[in-house]
Amino acid sequence: MNKTIAEKILAKASGKKVVSPNEIVMARVDVAMSHENADVVLRSFNEIGVKKVWDKERIVILFDHRIPADSERTAATHRRLRAFVKEQQIKHFYDLKEGICHQVLVEFGHDLPGEVLVGTDSHTTTHGAFGTFATGIGATEMAGVWATGELWLRVPESIKINVSGKFKPCVTAKDLILHIIGILGADGANYQAVEFHGEIISHMTIASRLVLSNLSMEMGAKVAFVPPDEQTIAYLKQRTDKHFQVILPDQDVEYSGELNVDVSSLTSQVACPHSVDNVKPVSEVTGLKIDQALIGSCTNGRLEDLAAAAEILEGKTVHPDTRLLVIPASRRVYLEALHEGYIEIFVRAGGLLLNPGCGPCLGAHQGLLAPEEVCLATTNRNFKGRMGSPEAFIYLASPATVAASALKGEITEPC
Amino acid sequence: MLIKGHVYKFGDNINTDVIYPGKYLSITADREEMAKHCFEAVHPEFLKNAKPGDIIVGGKNFGCGSSREQAATCLKYFGIRAVVAETFARIFYRNAINLGLPVIIAPGITQQVEHKDDIEIDLLTGIIKNMRTNEIIEAKKLPDFILEIVTNNGLIPYLKKKLGISSN
């Protein structure tokens, strides 16, 4: 056999023996996640005219994009969805206290190898870090999933990314994936599956693997797999007692593309305005003054990210011309960071702690930018106007780079 | 199925934050209201100059970024008849199809069509004609399955038919 992970999972999900790239299949969905935009889904669901959702145990609804409600309108969305959850007896509902969808799903064991997980959020690729066929979809097609439990998917070609070497100090998964996006471009993996391979990937923590799969969306990937290994299985066993089947690629797969990356000489990277593939070494933008430093998001708001930032900020003070915002990705991450003393370090350093959630990343509220302001963020998009004014500038980097830069008030190497 | 219209042209990597700013994501149901904010923050001239019935022509990776369906919804309810681009980002492409907004992949289109040209698209064959130059552009024909959804005015009418639910 010579099948990729994507082909094997889609064959299983569509009840076929084999499927090949470019084929369109009807795939059965194992997990269907929506956040506030479940309200958009709901409108389409009501238009279809089905009374009951197809499976109340497979739908996940949570709030993270605009929490607590940024407006009366959002408050009404939250209220409508709470009522819908009750009415339909949706089993997995996480109200605004829990955190960002791409961390909450992980923590509560919703990501299982070999399954199909769809979410009305583009960064749903994150969950491919567990070998899950996880992809972002739109609201109307989610309504179709709520009604029927299946959706059409084109079987993607697959790109293999082989990573070798050893990271220098302070260089992280974020720097690696920014570097890869810089090479492949914003549409370099469009419509395609990505598989990350190499010894360094198997040594990476789950949190770091999630960064790779999360940001693969920014090169257009449909799904981004880290093949499950013993670490994946051990991690999942602590979070779920559900049965799952690990699906790995065959040995003799012919990939549509291959990229080899040796990280040994890689330095800290930064994505410059206004696109995520405009990637440069931090050394090329050193000295650029920053008004806001932001640590958080579904990309880099996990415990190891906060730990990296805390290590740099401990006993120091953020530059007086820079404001530092810190957003733990979830309530659990927040509690663990409290326990480890990181939160105290941030507050003593002059950082402002925001509640777990998406924060200002998507430009809805909390910490938006004025014209001409510069923000250095650990988030995932630096599009023009993404975080407030279209005349502001957003740079993306690792938690270590953002923390070190917050101290200096300008972009700087973390070590 | 022929679609005719005036071209409103954009460049590469037009992302969904640009098409529909994040600050309006709290609008979840009122589609006419969504249409009032197309390209508002970064290309405010669109709302002044574009007209219902226009066809958007884009470069590479049109609709990249967020999965927000409002980006396709706002264009459809503004009255955009179709979007033709060198390539599309996948979620925008799916959203447009599922809303019944025709999206056509046409490599080379940005070289052969200028802003304000009149073009004619044959959805069934994928042939696009530039009425100013009489040039023919061979776009990718939509797969039959997708064509069926688009010509049914989107996934909802398609599913109603499939599930045997009456449209009234």
Side-chain angles (χ1 to χ4, degrees):
Chain A
M1 290 296 283
N2 54 357
K3 291 291 170 190
T4 63
I5 306 182
E7 288 158 27
K8 287 183 173 183
I9 297 179
L10 288 184
K12 179 172 154 244
S14 61
K16 293 188 168 184
K17 217 164 167 193
V18 285
V19 298
S20 299
N22 210 27
E23 195 176 332
I24 290 177
V25 298
M26 287 305 285
R28 279 186 308 277
V29 168
D30 297 295
V31 181
M33 184 281 296
S34 291
H35 43 67
E36 276 91 341
N37 63 16
D39 205 22
V40 187
V41 182
L42 182 55
R43 175 171 173 160
S44 292
F45 180 74
N46 288 335
E47 281 179 2
I48 295 171
V50 173
K51 293 278 173 284
K52 279 269 165 203
V53 297
W54 111 98
D55 189 338
K56 62 187 184 198
E57 302 207 353
R58 292 190 180 276
I59 294 173
V60 180
I61 292 179
L62 45 74
F63 302 150
D64 60 1
H65 271 50
R66 297 185 302 280
I67 52 168
D70 62 329
S71 60
E72 282 184 37
R73 210 163 196 160
T74 298
T77 283
H78 289 162
R79 188 165 193 264
R80 203 159 30 239
L81 290 171
R82 287 186 191 106
F84 176 74
V85 162
K86 278 206 175 133
E87 173 207 314
Q88 295 279 337
Q89 298 172 293
I90 304 288
K91 188 174 169 196
H92 302 290
F93 170 61
Y94 304 100
D95 210 322
L96 50 73
K97 68 179 184 296
E98 217 55 66
I100 309 178
C101 58
H102 303 307
Q103 178 61 12
V104 173
L105 286 184
V106 171
E107 290 173 353
F108 286 84
H110 290 290
D111 297 5
L112 297 180
E115 291 201 340
V116 173
L117 185 157
V118 293
T120 44
D121 189 280
S122 58
H123 291 108
T124 302
T125 54
T126 309
H127 311 280
F130 291 93
T132 313
F133 188 102
T135 193
I137 64 171
T140 293
E141 52 187 345
M142 182 59 90
V145 172
W146 284 5
T148 67
E150 53 181 32
L151 88 164
W152 64 272
L153 287 170
R154 178 187 157 278
V155 180
E157 295 82 12
S158 297
I159 300 174
K160 184 179 191 185
I161 300 181
N162 302 301
V163 188
S164 61
K166 228 177 133 185
F167 281 127
K168 286 184 182 171
C170 289
V171 179
T172 65
K174 178 67 166 280
D175 302 294
L176 168 61
I177 188 67
L178 286 179
H179 177 62
I180 291 170
I181 295 168
I183 295 169
L184 293 178
D187 61 349
N190 201 8
Y191 303 117
Q192 306 194 52
V194 170
E195 290 181 12
F196 291 98
H197 292 266
E199 206 181 318
I200 185 171
I201 306 289
S202 48
H203 288 135
M204 264 184 199
T205 61
I206 295 291
S208 291
R209 296 176 185 187
L210 287 162
V211 175
L212 301 182
S213 294
N214 173 280
L215 268 179
S216 292
M217 200 289 140
E218 302 309 323
M219 49 186 184
K222 179 173 200 158
V223 281
F225 296 109
V226 176
D229 56 12
E230 283 173 16
Q231 192 191 168
T232 319
I233 294 165
Y235 190 94
L236 289 170
K237 290 255 157 92
Q238 291 171 5
R239 284 161 182 82
T240 180
D241 50 12
K242 278 195 197 145
H243 172 76
F244 56 86
Q245 182 194 350
V246 170
I247 291 181
L248 297 171
D250 290 325
Q251 290 298 318
D252 46 358
V253 173
E254 273 192 35
Y255 290 91
S256 66
E258 278 200 48
L259 177 70
N260 298 311
V261 182
D262 183 346
V263 300
S264 304
S265 58
L266 186 70
T267 56
S268 299
Q269 304 286 301
V270 57
C272 301
H274 295 286
S275 73
V276 187
D277 60 357
N278 187 15
V279 178
K280 294 175 182 167
V282 168
S283 56
E284 285 187 26
V285 284
T286 298
L288 186 89
K289 297 227 174 313
I290 57 171
D291 300 287
Q292 180 163 292
L294 168 60
I295 298 170
S297 85
C298 60
T299 309
N300 280 122
R302 300 187 175 84
L303 193 66
E304 73 174 25
D305 303 315
L306 301 187
E311 196 184 325
I312 289 167
L313 293 166
E314 185 164 16
K316 304 203 171 104
T317 310
V318 170
H319 191 276
D321 294 336
T322 301
R323 47 191 192 265
L324 169 67
L325 308 182
V326 183
I327 315 175
S330 71
R331 185 168 67 98
R332 286 191 187 182
V333 169
Y334 201 158
L335 278 170
E336 286 169 12
L338 268 172
H339 181 76
E340 296 293 332
Y342 304 153
I343 303 297
E344 185 170 343
I345 291 171
F346 299 141
V347 176
R348 284 190 184 279
L352 183 61
L353 259 289
L354 301 182
N355 57 291
C358 301
C361 175
L362 66 143
H365 68 157
Q366 292 182 321
L368 302 183
L369 303 170
E372 291 170 43
E373 281 195 323
V374 173
C375 177
L376 180 66
T378 65
T379 58
N380 43 52
R381 284 192 181 125
N382 57 354
F383 300 158
K384 206 172 192 185
R386 167 85 175 171
M387 209 185 281
S389 169
E391 277 102 55
F393 301 89
I394 307 164
Y395 292 75
L396 308 176
S398 74
T401 302
V402 175
S405 303
L407 293 177
K408 268 194 116 170
E410 56 186 46
I411 296 182
T412 187
E413 295 270 6
C415 57
Chain B
M1 193 180 165
L2 282 181
I3 300 172
K4 290 180 195 175
H6 224 49
V7 167
Y8 200 101
K9 196 172 166 187
F10 286 101
D12 291 340
N13 295 317
I14 295 295
N15 67 66
T16 55
D17 275 87
V18 165
I19 302 171
Y20 190 84
K23 64 177 168 181
Y24 298 118
L25 286 176
S26 59
I27 305 171
T28 55
D30 189 338
R31 292 157 181 169
E32 309 294 337
E33 194 185 346
M34 291 173 199
K36 291 179 188 158
H37 303 295
C38 302
F39 296 99
E40 184 189 278
V42 180
H43 299 290
E45 70 283 0
F46 178 88
L47 287 168
K48 287 189 209 116
N49 300 335
K51 300 267 178 308
D54 283 357
I55 293 171
I56 288 179
V57 169
K60 278 194 317 179
N61 208 20
F62 190 93
C64 58
S66 155
S67 68
R68 62 192 64 173
E69 190 163 279
Q70 286 97 330
T73 312
C74 72
L75 298 182
K76 179 172 166 134
Y77 283 80
F78 180 85
I80 294 300
R81 299 284 305 278
V83 185
V84 188
E86 302 271 345
T87 60
F88 288 91
R90 54 169 292 275
I91 306 179
F92 177 86
Y93 186 73
R94 295 180 68 94
N95 282 340
I97 290 162
N98 289 327
L99 290 167
L101 172 66
V103 270
I104 300 100
I105 301 169
I109 186 79
T110 49
Q111 299 297 316
Q112 288 163 291
V113 168
E114 294 306 324
H115 189 58
K116 294 185 173 177
D117 278 355
D118 281 308
I119 61 171
E120 185 180 278
I121 306 164
D122 186 339
L123 261 197
L124 297 180
T125 61
I127 301 285
I128 300 172
K129 190 173 175 191
N130 184 332
M131 309 305 277
R132 177 177 60 88
T133 61
N134 280 324
E135 258 187 307
I136 297 290
I137 301 128
E138 281 189 46
K140 292 197 178 163
K141 186 180 164 301
L142 289 173
D144 290 344
F145 171 74
I146 288 170
L147 194 62
E148 197 186 342
I149 297 177
V150 172
T151 51
N152 269 287
N153 199 27
L155 188 70
I156 293 174
Y158 172 85
L159 278 178
K160 281 171 102 92
K161 216 191 234 182
K162 198 174 149 192
L163 298 170
I165 300 168
S166 117
S167 292
N168 303 313

